[in-house]
Amino acid sequence: MGFIELKDKYLKLLSDEEQQFKVGMGLKFLGVSLLCTLSVLLFTYLLIRIDLIFFVANGFPGALDFQDAFFEFVYSSLYEKLGWLFFSGLFIFVLGYYLSGIMLRPFKVIGQYCEDKMNDKKNYYTPDFFSDLKLLTSFSVFFFSKIDEGVIKGKVTPSEVPVHFTRIHKPIFETSFFFNYVLIIIIFALMSSVGIVAINIEIRDQIFELARKFLANNHQVNYFLDEQFVIADIAVYFFVVLHLFLYFLLGVHMYAKVATPAFAVFATMRSFLKGNYHNRVHLIGYYYLRNDCRKINKYLEHVQKNLT
């Protein structure tokens, strides 16, 4: 494969709206963890700067050596963990990318089925009722069964829609779908939070070791550091709770990205079955579903043209 072909494929991938959405979600996942990790590190750094000022101001022997040793430790430790930090960040990005793709799956299954039917391919509509959007998947099964009946008869006629579907006039909260994915996000956030706490503990242990080495195991210094880190724990746990809360909000954000489009597709299918054969799916702002909605609309046009 030549350079030109690779370049064209790369540019095509970058211009793909669905890929842009997945990459964007991956970066949002990475951004949340990065923000909280840097916040903890910055807070710890400022705390140690105060320690250094305190030790120097009170003339503790070895205070300047402690200061030099501390910064040497910080930089050397950072270099040692660059590889681990890189792969951790990559994993976080891939998780966000993957989950966003899974949440788009109901639309892709419907879109692919519509495309296959238009191309006369033998395909069975088999949505995943455990992880998919229940309203969209359950009604789409009903919708396609009615269209198949019309194919057999040679004509699609207005159908009676079950009562529980006619009462839905706005996006509904899909409890199982929401908690399936938010639970995964929260579990991951807990694992990520453990990493943040572990980094803080490692820095703390190194500070105590350096204090014992350069400040002659001074009782006043040890007492000061002990009490300081008791207070510092409050801030660290605050950042951990913030970390979990931000990931929960990210889960809500992801859910909102599919809940409204799901209702739009459902409402269009329902209206189509009632005899409004000119109705199509129109979504504004949900660019990442444009390709799938285009397939659905082409299928509706195909049915209208050939079976009504």
Side-chain angles (χ1 to χ4, degrees):
M1 185 179 295
F3 174 76
I4 301 299
E5 293 179 359
L6 284 174
K7 181 181 178 182
D8 290 340
K9 286 191 173 184
Y10 178 70
L11 292 175
K12 184 178 180 180
L13 185 65
L14 288 179
S15 62
D16 186 282
E17 293 174 325
E18 182 182 327
Q19 292 298 325
Q20 291 175 4
F21 171 73
K22 292 178 182 179
V23 170
M25 292 307 302
L27 291 175
K28 288 177 183 178
F29 268 70
L30 180 60
V32 169
S33 283
L34 191 61
L35 173 65
C36 292
T37 301
L38 291 177
S39 295
V40 170
L41 292 176
L42 176 61
F43 174 78
T44 303
Y45 172 78
L46 293 175
L47 205 64
I48 302 309
R49 289 292 300 180
I50 294 173
D51 291 345
L52 296 176
I53 294 172
F54 173 79
F55 295 149
V56 173
N58 286 274
F60 284 105
L64 294 177
D65 292 332
F66 173 82
Q67 175 175 305
D68 295 337
F70 171 73
F71 286 111
E72 182 181 345
F73 156 73
V74 170
Y75 291 124
S76 63
S77 180
L78 180 62
Y79 288 134
E80 289 174 4
K81 291 179 174 57
L82 280 179
W84 181 84
L85 290 172
F86 173 79
F87 284 108
S88 296
L90 182 62
F91 174 77
I92 294 170
F93 172 81
V94 170
L95 177 69
Y97 181 93
Y98 174 75
L99 283 181
S100 62
I102 292 296
M103 295 189 81
L104 296 181
R105 182 179 179 276
F107 303 94
K108 299 204 71 62
V109 171
I110 293 175
Q112 188 60 51
Y113 179 78
C114 289
E115 186 175 55
D116 289 345
K117 294 295 285 185
M118 285 189 296
N119 294 327
D120 295 324
K121 291 183 180 179
K122 291 184 178 180
N123 191 6
Y124 298 96
Y125 181 60
T126 54
D128 183 355
F129 285 95
F130 176 75
S131 61
D132 283 358
L133 293 156
K134 296 296 185 292
L135 173 63
L136 180 59
T137 52
S138 59
F139 189 80
S140 59
V141 169
F142 175 76
F143 174 81
F144 288 124
S145 67
K146 287 298 181 181
I147 299 299
D148 288 341
E149 290 177 11
V151 172
I152 295 173
K153 296 176 182 178
K155 185 177 181 64
V156 171
T157 56
S159 303
E160 184 177 348
V161 176
V163 176
H164 63 280
F165 286 126
T166 62
R167 295 173 178 171
I168 300 173
H169 302 291
K170 62 181 180 179
I172 63 174
F173 181 68
E174 302 260 8
T175 306
S176 59
F177 181 84
F178 176 77
F179 283 106
N180 279 343
Y181 291 101
V182 169
L183 181 60
I184 295 174
I185 293 173
I186 294 299
I187 290 174
F188 165 75
L190 285 170
M191 295 171 58
S192 183
S193 296
V194 169
I196 293 174
V197 173
I199 292 173
N200 182 68
I201 291 175
E202 181 178 348
I203 293 176
R204 179 183 308 184
D205 290 342
Q206 188 67 24
I207 290 171
F208 279 118
E209 184 178 336
L210 291 173
R212 286 192 297 269
K213 180 178 179 180
F214 292 98
L215 301 178
N217 199 23
N218 188 291
H219 173 73
Q220 291 175 285
V221 171
N222 291 334
Y223 176 79
F224 176 79
L225 291 175
D226 283 331
E227 293 302 314
Q228 172 191 258
F229 282 119
V230 168
I231 298 173
D233 282 341
I234 298 174
V236 172
Y237 291 133
F238 166 79
F239 285 122
V240 168
V241 172
L242 177 64
H243 188 230
L244 294 173
F245 180 68
L246 288 177
Y247 265 112
F248 176 78
L249 290 182
L250 190 55
V252 174
H253 172 68
M254 289 183 69
Y255 175 77
K257 290 291 186 180
V258 296
T260 301
F263 173 76
V265 175
F266 156 76
T268 301
M269 287 181 168
R270 180 179 61 183
S271 180
F272 194 89
L273 282 185
K274 288 181 177 180
N276 300 314
Y277 301 122
H278 291 282
N279 274 18
R280 299 293 184 267
V281 181
H282 297 290
L283 292 174
I284 299 175
Y286 300 92
Y287 62 91
Y288 43 90
L289 293 172
R290 189 172 299 159
N291 187 47
D292 298 316
C293 289
R294 188 179 295 117
K295 292 177 182 179
I296 296 172
N297 286 338
K298 285 183 178 180
Y299 176 73
L300 296 178
E301 183 178 346
H302 172 78
V303 173
Q304 179 188 11
K305 181 179 179 181
N306 295 283
L307 296 172
T308 61

